[in-house]
Amino acid sequence: MSMNQQQLRNIIEAALFAANEPLSVNKLLTLFSNDEMPEREDIRAVLDTLVEEWSDRGIELKQVGSGYRFQVRQEL
């Protein structure tokens, strides 16, 4: 993989914000060309990091049946 973890994080975070539907790991993989495609484990690690980073805000990254999406916390 030629990109660093911060670049990967930024791409995934931006894609999740821009998407009008939840994004699965498979859909996130389609964002990358074959020569820059990260490993599934790298994408999952970024998703886990983002879930943690957004855990104390009004918006959270939530895993749903069809993938991941940003949403307003239920209690708000």
Side-chain angles (χ1 to χ4, degrees):
M1 182 176 73
S2 62
M3 73 179 66
N4 67 42
Q5 285 299 107
Q6 185 62 44
Q7 290 172 312
L8 179 60
R9 181 190 172 283
N10 289 345
I11 291 168
I12 291 173
E13 188 174 50
L16 289 164
F17 267 110
N20 58 1
E21 64 183 12
L23 297 179
S24 65
V25 172
N26 286 339
K27 284 186 182 179
L28 289 167
L29 281 169
T30 67
L31 298 172
F32 303 93
S33 63
N34 286 339
D35 60 327
E36 290 190 338
M37 190 173 294
E39 298 292 326
R40 289 178 174 280
E41 296 78 29
D42 293 332
I43 290 181
R44 286 191 185 101
V46 167
L47 290 167
D48 289 344
T49 299
L50 289 172
V51 166
E52 187 175 320
E53 287 179 2
W54 287 87
S55 67
D56 62 347
R57 300 180 186 185
I59 297 170
E60 64 183 345
L61 179 59
K62 186 79 171 178
Q63 184 176 11
V64 295
S66 56
Y68 289 81
R69 70 176 182 200
F70 278 106
Q71 64 184 31
V72 175
R73 289 194 167 285
Q74 184 176 358
E75 62 269 18
L76 300 177

